[in-house]
Amino acid sequence: LGDYEYHGTSSIGVALFRDKDDAVEDLLKRADLAMYQAKASGRNAVRFFDPAMQASVQARSQLEGALRRSVLRGDFVLYYQPQVNARGDVVGVEALVRWQHAERGLVGPVEFIALAEETGLILNIGQQVLQNACAQLKAWNDEAATQALNVSVNVSARQFRHPDFVDMVLANVEDSGIDASHLILEITESMLLGNLDETIAKMRCLRDAGIRFSIDDFGTGYSSLAYLQRLPLNEVKIDRSFVAHLEDNPNHAAICAAFISLAHILGLSVVAEGVETEAQRYFLTTVHHS
């Protein structure tokens, strides 16, 4: 056997104390918290314990506990954001989840979705969201004035990668009795970083049942344009960060125009998020005719 040279790095957490009143167990817990902060900062670092670390951990623990209880009670409600066509007609809606917190009232997804992903609670929340969205879609399908509406539902990466995801979606479609062609599942670019073949297989299975797919926030992540050709997509969504500066940033206008042209060449529909002015609407609805 030859000689080997090994290199190691360390993440160190330090807790300071001044008197004998501090229990050794408490000091070790503080040092442990500081060590995890060192790891979170990129490893091979030193961090000193700060009381704010403890407060942050306690706040996260309390939030997680409340979230777990709310999942059991089903304390999540859906709001529906309209999607309009070039004529201004409402052709669909996007289901937006909110947490009906017992003390804080309605809590937006920014505050709890990341934690739900980390803890795996997103699987239960996602199931409740899809079930409620399908029930609402069925009610609209049964009314003449709303029977053509589509409902878009966001799907998290952890949801999509679950082995039972396809079966879960198909079960919801069957149980609710909806017309599957009016259900659109929104995926994100982060889902494309894993096993692309597996992703395509799942999408095709659901597409065979009539369900449609949209890729959300396209252009903000790492995906290649080649994905648009391989994935069984129906729709591309332009992120609001591009739409917001259409009027004052020529680069953003050019990017939006390129997205729209590319999508039309590939036979995909386009949805632009965050359209708030008439100038933005006019640009987006006329760019492919210029």
Side-chain angles (χ1 to χ4, degrees):
L1 295 177
D3 293 332
Y4 292 91
E5 184 176 340
Y6 296 92
H7 296 276
T9 62
S10 61
S11 297
I12 302 174
V14 181
L16 302 177
F17 66 98
R18 293 184 177 180
D19 52 52
K20 299 178 181 179
D21 294 334
D22 292 311
V24 173
E25 183 178 349
D26 292 336
L27 289 172
L28 290 174
K29 288 180 179 179
R30 295 171 193 170
D32 191 49
L33 279 174
M35 181 192 66
Y36 279 105
Q37 288 291 322
K39 288 184 176 181
S41 67
R43 300 179 180 273
N44 194 26
V46 177
R47 289 292 181 272
F48 284 82
F49 173 80
D50 185 291
M53 295 179 185
Q54 183 67 39
S56 176
V57 170
Q58 289 177 339
R60 185 189 184 284
S61 177
Q62 291 173 355
L63 186 66
E64 180 180 340
L67 191 60
R68 289 186 181 279
R69 292 189 292 273
S70 288
V71 166
L72 293 175
R73 292 194 299 260
D75 294 338
F76 300 93
V77 294
L78 294 182
Y79 285 77
Y80 296 93
Q81 181 171 294
Q83 297 174 338
V84 300
N85 61 16
R87 297 186 302 273
D89 304 322
V90 178
V91 294
V93 297
E94 179 181 354
L96 305 175
V97 65
R98 299 291 183 268
W99 176 13
Q100 187 66 58
H101 195 282
E103 299 174 355
R104 298 168 57 187
L106 284 180
V107 178
V110 173
E111 297 189 53
F112 69 88
I113 289 297
L115 178 60
E117 286 268 11
E118 293 174 19
T119 57
L121 293 172
I122 193 65
L123 300 176
N124 301 90
I125 296 173
Q127 161 70 353
Q128 292 178 26
V129 167
L130 185 61
Q131 186 174 20
N132 292 339
C134 286
Q136 181 61 70
L137 178 56
K138 175 59 177 174
W140 281 330
N141 284 165
D142 291 342
E143 296 291 333
T146 55
Q147 63 182 1
L149 284 181
N150 300 316
V151 173
S152 298
V153 178
N154 291 280
V155 176
S156 78
R158 188 157 185 171
Q159 265 183 290
F160 190 88
R161 290 170 184 152
H162 193 277
D164 298 331
F165 175 73
V166 171
D167 291 337
M168 183 272 289
V169 174
L170 293 178
N172 273 281
V173 169
E174 182 177 356
D175 293 344
S176 61
I178 63 170
D179 180 345
S181 66
H182 291 290
L183 177 63
I184 300 174
L185 299 182
E186 293 191 9
I187 63 174
T188 60
E189 293 187 26
S190 62
M191 295 184 197
L192 310 180
L193 300 179
N195 189 329
L196 185 59
D197 291 334
E198 181 180 339
T199 297
I200 293 173
K202 286 185 176 182
M203 292 177 67
R204 284 178 175 165
C205 184
L206 292 170
R207 270 280 297 265
D208 290 343
I211 297 166
R212 292 185 282 166
F213 281 91
S214 174
I215 186 165
D216 197 13
D217 303 338
F218 188 77
T220 61
Y222 305 98
S223 65
S224 164
L225 293 178
Y227 289 152
L228 292 184
Q229 293 180 305
R230 293 192 60 190
L231 294 172
L233 293 168
N234 303 91
E235 179 182 278
V236 175
K237 296 187 74 174
I238 302 176
D239 186 65
R240 66 178 61 246
S241 63
F242 295 113
V243 175
H245 300 288
L246 272 177
E247 300 161 86
D248 54 26
N249 190 319
N251 291 332
H252 283 209
I255 290 171
C256 288
F259 281 164
I260 293 171
S261 297
L262 177 63
H264 286 169
I265 291 172
L266 296 174
L268 302 175
S269 301
V270 182
V271 174
E273 297 179 321
V275 179
E276 297 180 350
T277 69
E278 178 60 27
Q280 291 170 347
R281 187 200 69 81
Y282 180 80
F283 176 89
L284 292 165
T285 55
T286 59
V287 63
H288 62 286
H289 297 303
S290 58

